[in-house]
Amino acid sequence: MTATENADDTLPDTHSTRVEALSRATTRLRFDPFVDIDWDAPENALDKRDPRWLLDPEIAPLAATKWYAEQPLQRRIDMGRWITANTFKVGIQFEMLLIRGVGHYAAKLSNSDPVFRYLMHEITDETNHIQMFQEFINRNGQDVPGMRRISRVVGPIFAFISGYLRVMLFLGVLCGEQPVHFQQTLLQRRASQIPPLLNKITFIHLAEEARHITFADDHLEQRIEQSGRIKRATYAILFPLFLRWLMGEIFTPPRTFAREFGMPRRAFKAAYWRSAHSRRMMAESAADARRVAENLGIRTVWTRWIWRVLGIDGRVPRFRGEPNRVDERSTDGWLAEIRTATWGRVAAAAIMTTVAFVATPVGPRITLFAAAGAAVWAIYHVLRERRGGVVANQPFEWPRFIVWVAVCVMMVPVGGLIGLALVVLMILALADFMPTL
């Protein structure tokens, strides 16, 4: 096997080494839901009156609505049990789609490809997860449908086709697994406040899905960096669309839920995803997926508007599962401060331009050169991002800083201190509108 991709399914040695390491890790530590979970233990009994089934507003947008708060305690407990079971049912259906696509893809790999062994390990894990989720649903006693009917019909077709489209297959894997991983990480952070059986199930699922996400991330990195411009543009457009579709299936219960619990249509729409709280939750749930897209270079300045339109744009975490350290209750005020600072900088640049025109006879020249310098900095920023050199929330970036300093130094002989102040204010005002600052 060579260091470059000579054959269609031959990957670089570094990737093969990581795949083999993941296979060994899977062999050393794996879970069997009927061995590692004592389903009949008293503490694992599913008590239909346990208040720990109540939904948390930080995890379920429904819990933040006035309608939910007005319901009787037992009804809220039943809704929590129903939504938990339905989320597991969606997980079953998604992992069945994944098994179809992965099995189809693995069947075409060469005999010596280490990816084949790992994918078989992953299929084994997924079948265990399916049995674990189904056992929970059966013991819970509520008949939940899972995905919406259209997704249950169209999903298997997409899964079959994805066997021919390797990159799209693993993009779909990430789009489905990353939001679930984020949600279950939040559950694990409050493990003492949820039923023990739910805690055990999410622990096992998180531990094994972390390996699956790592493989898909690394596998896509190898494939996408070898793709042409048209393919990369296609992936950049389809990734947020897939992500939003699967997030809707994972986090939004079907209409069956509203009919069973008599939930008004207006309250349902407010909870999913019309209210400010639910929109923030949607954007935050996509944080890990945004990190992956940034690392793969398919969340570009040209496609970021798709993320914003779909309501899944926002911060980019430094690592998987990084908590949002901005208090959600102060988010609106924080955004207002950003808008105030932005327009304050624009106003400062406009005032300094007026000073240049009034205080010096060469005001137009100073303004023109300052605008040209700010444009040089902005063009460098955009070109560097297109080449994949910009990390979305990187705290400091030396190349961009050096360009900034160079522009300022060249401005001094042209416009003196007024010109220097003007170009700095212009760059600062422009920086607030640059997509990765």
Side-chain angles (χ1 to χ4, degrees):
M1 190 174 292
T2 61
T4 58
E5 186 177 0
N6 296 322
D8 187 44
D9 288 317
T10 303
L11 297 177
D13 290 335
T14 54
H15 178 60
S16 298
T17 301
R18 289 191 288 267
V19 171
E20 291 169 352
L22 286 171
S23 293
R24 290 193 296 271
T26 305
T27 304
R28 284 197 310 272
L29 181 60
R30 66 192 320 160
F31 298 93
D32 186 322
F34 295 103
V35 173
D36 297 293
I37 298 177
D38 185 358
W39 294 91
D40 296 322
E43 66 271 16
N44 289 335
L46 298 182
D47 185 356
K48 297 181 179 181
R49 297 184 178 182
D50 191 343
R52 289 177 293 185
W53 288 114
L54 291 173
L55 298 173
D56 185 349
E58 300 296 321
I59 301 174
L62 175 63
T65 62
K66 181 181 178 182
W67 180 85
Y68 179 81
E70 293 172 346
Q71 302 305 304
L73 175 62
Q74 186 57 49
R75 194 172 185 80
R76 283 181 283 151
I77 291 174
D78 291 341
M79 284 189 279
R81 291 173 48 239
W82 199 100
I83 288 178
T84 301
N86 194 73
T87 302
F88 283 152
K89 187 65 176 181
V90 172
I92 290 173
Q93 293 160 343
F94 171 75
E95 290 182 345
M96 284 183 171
L97 300 180
L98 186 153
I99 289 172
R100 288 186 180 96
V102 168
H104 191 187
Y105 171 49
K108 298 183 294 182
L109 296 175
S110 61
N111 291 326
S112 59
D113 197 329
V115 172
F116 180 86
R117 176 189 169 188
Y118 174 77
L119 291 179
M120 294 301 102
H121 283 312
E122 183 165 333
I123 288 177
T124 302
D125 290 343
E126 300 297 7
T127 54
N128 283 335
H129 297 166
I130 289 171
Q131 294 180 76
M132 179 171 64
F133 292 163
Q134 190 61 56
E135 183 68 17
F136 174 90
I137 293 170
N138 294 344
R139 290 172 179 263
N140 184 58
Q142 291 173 307
D143 188 19
V144 292
M147 291 183 176
R148 295 172 182 80
R149 186 174 302 167
I150 183 65
S151 295
R152 297 199 300 268
V153 173
V154 176
I157 300 174
F158 285 166
F160 177 80
I161 295 174
S162 67
Y164 294 99
L165 306 173
R166 295 176 293 275
V167 172
M168 298 310 304
L169 169 63
F170 290 101
L171 283 179
V173 169
L174 283 176
C175 288
E177 291 183 344
Q178 286 281 16
V180 171
H181 193 275
F182 178 87
Q183 185 188 53
Q184 293 185 346
T185 299
L186 295 180
L187 281 174
Q188 281 294 302
R189 288 177 185 153
R190 54 188 296 270
S192 62
Q193 304 171 38
I194 63 177
L197 182 59
L198 179 59
N199 182 38
K200 289 183 174 66
I201 291 174
T202 55
F203 174 81
I204 291 174
H205 191 250
L206 276 173
E208 295 186 330
E209 289 298 331
R211 288 195 295 258
H212 304 170
I213 293 173
T214 299
F215 169 78
D217 195 350
D218 190 65
H219 198 64
L220 283 171
E221 183 179 351
Q222 299 295 328
R223 293 293 184 185
I224 289 179
E225 71 180 13
Q226 298 163 5
S227 302
R229 288 180 177 272
I230 295 178
K231 286 186 177 180
R232 289 172 67 90
T234 303
Y235 303 149
I237 293 171
L238 291 180
F239 187 88
L241 297 177
F242 278 0
L243 177 64
R244 181 59 183 85
W245 166 50
L246 289 172
M247 287 180 68
E249 295 294 342
I250 294 165
F251 297 131
T252 310
R255 290 290 179 184
T256 307
F257 171 81
R259 289 194 295 268
E260 181 163 339
F261 291 97
M263 187 176 185
R265 185 178 182 86
R266 180 175 298 179
F268 188 90
K269 288 186 175 181
Y272 307 101
W273 303 88
R274 298 282 181 88
S275 68
H277 175 79
S278 63
R279 288 196 298 268
R280 283 193 294 268
M281 284 191 61
M282 171 68 76
E284 186 60 21
S285 299
D288 286 332
R290 289 193 295 270
R291 179 191 60 83
V292 172
E294 287 281 352
N295 293 340
L296 295 175
I298 56 175
R299 183 170 174 265
T300 67
V301 65
W302 314 114
T303 59
R304 202 156 295 165
W305 66 271
I306 301 177
W307 295 75
R308 288 194 291 270
V309 168
L310 296 176
I312 53 177
D313 198 20
R315 73 181 183 96
V316 178
R318 292 169 296 171
F319 52 86
R320 186 190 305 158
E322 181 189 20
N324 186 8
R325 306 186 197 283
V326 178
D327 186 354
E328 196 175 82
R329 291 169 295 182
S330 64
T331 301
D332 291 337
W334 177 66
L335 292 175
E337 290 179 7
I338 291 178
R339 288 193 292 268
T340 301
T342 298
W343 292 112
R345 290 175 176 180
V346 172
I351 291 171
M352 187 54 66
T353 301
T354 303
V355 171
F357 272 84
V358 173
T360 67
V362 289
R365 188 182 68 174
I366 292 175
T367 304
L368 180 62
F369 275 88
V376 168
W377 176 85
I379 291 171
Y380 172 82
H381 176 281
V382 172
L383 292 177
R384 182 164 164 75
E385 183 179 15
R386 289 187 65 188
R387 292 172 62 87
V390 175
V391 179
N393 59 348
Q394 186 170 313
F396 195 79
E397 200 177 331
W398 278 105
R400 184 166 50 169
F401 175 73
I402 292 172
V403 173
W404 188 340
V405 171
V407 169
C408 292
V409 169
M410 288 185 292
M411 190 64 201
V412 173
V414 176
L417 294 179
I418 292 178
L420 177 61
L422 180 57
V423 74
V424 168
L425 290 171
M426 281 186 172
I427 290 176
L428 285 174
L430 187 62
D432 277 352
F433 294 96
M434 300 307 289
T436 62
L437 200 69

